[in-house]
Amino acid sequence: MPITMKDIARELGVSIATVSRALKDSPRISAETRDAIKKYAREHEFVPNAIAESLRNSRIRPQKIIGVIVPQFTHFYFSSILSGIEEEASSHGYSLLVAQSDERYDREVRICKSFFENKVCGIIVSQAKDTHKYDHFQWLLDNHVPLVFYDRICTGVDASRVVVDDYTGAYNAVKHLIDTGCRRIAYYGSPMSLEISKNRYNGYRDAMLKNRLTPDDRFMRFCDNRADAEAITAEIMMQEEIPDAFFAVNDDTAIGILYTVKRMGYRVPDDISICGFTNDYRAIACDPMLTTVEQRGVAVGEEASNILIGQVEGTIPINKVEKRIVRTRLIVRGTTR
């Protein structure tokens, strides 16, 4: 990513204010210092940030366009969040510029650069699954671009975020399975590099342990889509001992489990109970209808948009880290007893 005034100041041993003044040819800075700073800036392809200038100068209004990065448009949850973002933004006179990372770090980096170059007033993002370096996010913050994470937050960057109570949602779901007589509960989760995966796994584990049940490694898999769920579930159900329930990280995975166990001749929920996490439209389109944790994506989007607009307009300090949690609720339907 391009260097910042902070980088130039650090390398040349001067203040950020000195760098800013030198780049504007301020007579308060000596000619020698100005020339050294400008030379370094040219050699390292420094690009001035119009957004930062607009935020520092109240007479210049930033563009009322919010950049939004979505991991994948095809997921109901992300589309519902986008709907919430747009609704809140529109009510304040803002428009959206939306891009899909397709779960790829390289695309995410390019989108951030493109949004910056297009002078969006701020960015709302859910990080891609394979994002393990966060320099592109930190660079935006260093350049005074308001940044708000939703759903998949980046713990390596100190920025505002909106999440659902993943731990509590998972805990309550697994407790429901236990309360209805299940004891061998399988867990299908996303990669543990994602904070939501850690929280949902911890909710599952703690619900098991607090009810004197031990999570069984034979029934635990990294699996977060229907295709993988169908293959993995068929394998698990061929073991000598099988689960009597499945808790899945999302509804897509849960429906893959449901399809497979029914195809193999098991009755749901008499033989096998299944619980998902999302409550998308497919949860009521399957037979039996899916017990799941409702994430309330629209509310997540509204909160994220509210924070960003507040930082752009100055009602929330741009350097204040807002952390908001949207409560989940368990929706009990036909796949559990």
Side-chain angles (χ1 to χ4, degrees), residues 157-193:
V157 174
D158 196 21
S160 297
R161 71 280 309 265
V162 181
V163 297
V164 300
D165 54 345
D166 292 294
Y167 173 90
T168 303
Y171 182 95
N172 289 339
V174 176
K175 185 177 184 299
H176 166 69
L177 292 171
I178 295 169
D179 289 345
T180 54
C182 302
R183 293 295 179 266
R184 301 182 305 280
I185 304 172
Y187 173 81
Y188 286 11
S190 298
M192 294 297 278
S193 58

Side-chain angles (χ1 to χ4, degrees), residues 111-174:
I111 293 167
C112 286
K113 182 179 179 181
S114 174
F115 279 174
F116 180 82
E117 291 171 348
N118 282 280
K119 298 181 176 59
V120 298
C121 63
I123 296 174
I124 299 174
V125 56
S126 181
Q127 74 173 62
K129 281 182 185 177
D130 70 350
T131 294
H132 300 288
K133 294 188 294 183
Y134 314 114
D135 294 351
H136 54 303
F137 294 139
Q138 188 60 54
W139 181 82
L140 291 169
L141 292 173
D142 290 343
N143 279 275
H144 309 286
V145 179
L147 183 66
V148 179
F149 288 96
Y150 67 90
D151 189 51
R152 302 178 191 164
I153 64 173
C154 176
T155 56
V157 174
D158 196 21
S160 297
R161 71 280 309 265
V162 181
V163 297
V164 300
D165 54 345
D166 292 294
Y167 173 90
T168 303
Y171 182 95
N172 289 339
V174 176

